[in-house]
Amino acid sequence: MNMHVIGLGYVGLPVAVAFSELGNVVVGIDKNKEKIDLLQKCESTIAEAKLKDLLIKNINTKRLSFSTSLESIGKADVVTIAVDTPTISGRGGSVDLSYINTVVHDIANYLDGYTVIVIKSTVLPGTCKKIENLIKQLNPKASFDLVSIPEFLREGMAIHDIFEPDRIIIGVESQRAKNVLEKLYSPFKDKTKIFFTSRASAEMIKYASNSFLAMKITFINEISNLCEKRGCNVYDVAYAMGLDTRIGEKFLNPGPGFGGNCLPKDILALANFGKSTGSRLRLVESTIVANESRKKELAAKILHLVEEYKNPKVAFLGLSFKAGVDDCRSSPSTDIITELLDKNIDVCVYDPMAIDNSKKIFKSRVTYAVDVYNAVKDADLIAFGTECEDFKFLDWAKIGTLVRNKIIFDLRNIINSQEAKKNGFVCHIIGNSNI
Ligand code: UGA
């Protein structure tokens, strides 16, 4: 099939690459010329596992190409829109549809012959219907169906998640479009559940899923606070809860709170949507409040641990919103560090992938280290903000010779605390007072 993907970010680019790998002829389109130039040279523009190899392979087979121009849209059987739908600042979580609207205005008059338009951007229930009406207004002669196929791709694992999905949700209300999509998704038909539903339901499934994940994380984070106070081990609690298949083991890892470009934005949008439709989502609203408080509470704990030192220095390791990505958007680590900086704490930061992005946030407010050992020099406390694999295998004897005081606060339970303790460190981890 001929597929065009508009918007080549963390979702659009992996989708374009993966669907070309599945045998389709795919054109990836983005307004950003610099990005298109790099992609045409087989350079990946995002840090995403396995992406680059597939990019090179499919450009070479000529199934995959990139462009800034929408002129070839008329040739497409399927046009996928995957542009960002950020939160409008200061509007309580309202979703900014301006990027989608711009794309729709741009493509409406290029549509030629029957086209299935897929909205992959995260949008609230009812949005697809509105976009459909807009296209009809802009080009009354256009022959198209507009469908919702929300994505469930984790950043850093997008290629894996496209090829090994837990489910595929297709919101479609026309048999003609359904036939096209059954063909496009036929490689998955014996592999996973392909669930067809209405467009509004598909739109809601995405928000409900992300909000539920955020609630699950927040629930275990609050249980972890209680565990600390009452001498329980939250990791045992989470493990044993997860053995109940009704609960499930995933997303029960306590940590510094959920972050990233999706969960915080989507849960805010859903809460706001609930309020505006007169159907409040109190669990969702509480989750937002609890997640914000968590970062402040953890920053307060760090401040408490170093309060006795004069001009304390904190080494903060792991800056992205989770390990394995370079993305610092709504990262719990950066929020906690900002709290520390506001209290005039001297912070030195390190991350194996996200240093460049963290510089956009902190500028000259922190010191940037080139590795862990460089970061911990003269530190009074070392904090671990992501579950980066490298942090499991640190040389604690060496670190012991570099620091000023031997205090660790491990927000992800990632380090080898036995080794650290052997070398004289006092280890604080979340959710376990017995370490
Ligand atoms: C999330 C969803 O997991 C994807 O299914 C969805 O497609 C994507 O948003 C999206 O809407 O595009 P992602 O933003 O990559 O994916 O992040 P997650 O892997 O879900 O992690 C989110 C946050 O929760 C991170 O800060 C992570 O560290 C934290 N987390 C996750 C925990 O603290 N504990 C857990 O057990 C799991």
Side-chain angles (χ1 to χ4, degrees), residues 11 122 151-155 206 210 213 217 250-255 257-263 266 321-322 332 387 412:
V11 173
T122 301
E151 57 82 17
F152 302 99
L153 314 178
R154 290 163 299 167
E155 217 176 294
K206 168 72 191 207
N210 269 5
L213 292 174
I217 297 164
K250 294 189 178 146
F251 275 65
L252 280 181
N253 281 323
F258 61 83
N261 190 42
C262 303
L263 265 47
D266 293 350
F321 77 94
K322 63 177 182 180
E387 63 280 55
R412 300 277 189 173

Side-chain angles (χ1 to χ4, degrees), residues 217 220-228 231-243 248-249 251-257 294 298 301 384-387 409-415 417 427-435:
I217 297 164
I220 202 66
N221 283 342
E222 295 212 310
I223 291 291
S224 103
N225 284 344
L226 200 54
C227 286
E228 279 173 32
C232 326
N233 180 341
V234 72
Y235 299 96
D236 285 356
V237 175
Y239 170 73
M241 281 172 68
L243 293 177
E249 63 182 340
F251 275 65
L252 280 181
N253 281 323
R294 180 153 190 82
L298 294 173
K301 178 160 178 180
F384 291 87
T386 62
E387 63 280 55
F409 191 16
D410 183 356
L411 308 177
R412 300 277 189 173
N413 193 24
I414 183 71
I415 64 157
S417 53
C427 298
H428 299 267
I429 66 168
I430 54 176
N432 184 352
S433 55
N434 292 327
I435 187 162

